[in-house]
Amino acid sequence: MKRNHKLLYLIATLAFIFTLCKYVFTQFEVSGSFIIFEGFSYIFFLLIIFISDRSLSESRNSIFKLNEKIIQNDKESQCKIGDLESQLKEFTGDGKKEADDSKISSIKGAILNLDDASTLLSELSKFFEIGLAICYIKKQPSEEFVVEGHYGLSDEVEIENFIQGDGFNGQAVVDKKPLVITDIDSEYFNIESCSGAEKPCNLYLLPLVKNGETIALLELASFADIQIQHYWEEINNVIIESKLIN
């Protein structure tokens, strides 16, 4: 930038010299007062350039400082936003954990107060939006799982038993971990509601594991994403503790 300023003043000086030289090579007589007048004109011209340049430099410096301040403020804002997001994440995380702990505690209390397994499914429906549910118990010593009870289905509905490793139910039993199915077969049971009978949107296959062995399977269907698989380990332990299913 300074190099450009020097070049500007150099060009102005050469322009002034060229102006004087043209009088030397012409027939006009140049008086001393004329040269003085031209000198003052040149100085005045340079003064205008200097003032303009100074003003532009100050403007550029102000803009540069303003940009630096904006960048600094932006960095500080980003840091504050990051801190707030971290605090919010921590707060919501703690809040969700407290809510989950409270929900598990309520489920545990409800299950432990049950007298038999026949009411287990209906009790779970109080905590999750379950449209229908089926409980299968492993028939010892075979690998067949038979229907022990159901919720949301009429007694006239025929529910087939299944063999360990057969179909989605059998696979969940083998894997010993929850299986969530969102692509429901068209032949699956309908959920009765006030608006009519419709197919569920989500199917949850929840194996009940005791001492490393699957002893039962809960099959839950819902229109909503009830996220019960995230609570299942705790619910599994509570059911085993209650000895409702052996």
Side-chain angles (χ1 to χ4, degrees), residues 68-104:
E68 283 188 331
K69 187 175 182 180
I70 291 174
I71 293 173
Q72 182 64 29
N73 290 339
D74 182 64
K75 290 181 179 179
E76 293 177 356
S77 299
Q78 291 298 329
C79 291
K80 290 180 180 179
I81 291 174
D83 292 340
L84 290 174
E85 288 178 344
S86 298
Q87 294 175 8
L88 179 62
K89 185 177 181 180
E90 182 179 352
F91 176 77
T92 54
D94 291 342
K96 185 177 184 303
K97 186 177 184 304
E98 290 179 2
D100 290 345
D101 291 343
S102 176
K103 188 170 188 176
I104 291 297

Side-chain angles (χ1 to χ4, degrees), residues 45-190:
F45 176 69
L46 288 181
L47 183 61
I48 293 175
I49 294 176
F50 174 77
I51 293 174
S52 300
D53 177 64
R54 186 67 177 271
S55 177
L56 289 173
S57 296
E58 290 178 353
S59 298
R60 281 193 296 267
N61 290 334
S62 298
I63 294 173
F64 179 75
K65 291 179 180 179
L66 180 61
N67 286 336
E68 283 188 331
K69 187 175 182 180
I70 291 174
I71 293 173
Q72 182 64 29
N73 290 339
D74 182 64
K75 290 181 179 179
E76 293 177 356
S77 299
Q78 291 298 329
C79 291
K80 290 180 180 179
I81 291 174
D83 292 340
L84 290 174
E85 288 178 344
S86 298
Q87 294 175 8
L88 179 62
K89 185 177 181 180
E90 182 179 352
F91 176 77
T92 54
D94 291 342
K96 185 177 184 303
K97 186 177 184 304
E98 290 179 2
D100 290 345
D101 291 343
S102 176
K103 188 170 188 176
I104 291 297
S105 178
S106 298
I107 294 173
K108 181 177 180 179
I111 292 176
L112 291 177
N113 287 327
L114 297 178
D115 296 325
D116 54 69
S118 61
T119 55
L120 175 61
L121 299 179
S122 60
E123 194 66 31
L124 288 176
S125 68
K126 297 177 182 179
F127 298 94
F128 302 96
E129 295 180 45
I130 299 173
L132 62 87
I134 305 170
C135 177
Y136 302 88
I137 302 292
K138 185 176 182 180
K139 185 177 181 181
Q140 301 291 354
S142 70
E143 294 185 348
E144 183 181 15
F145 283 75
V146 299
V147 177
E148 177 70 15
H150 55 78
Y151 166 82
L153 292 170
S154 65
D155 294 333
E156 290 76 20
V157 174
E158 293 186 4
I159 306 172
E160 295 182 359
N161 301 332
F162 68 90
I163 302 296
Q164 181 171 312
D166 183 22
F168 288 124
N169 289 33
Q171 188 61 46
V173 167
V174 173
D175 293 340
K176 300 175 185 176
K177 60 183 180 181
L179 177 60
V180 181
I181 301 173
T182 55
D183 186 13
I184 310 298
D185 190 279
S186 59
E187 296 182 359
Y188 193 75
F189 307 111
N190 287 327

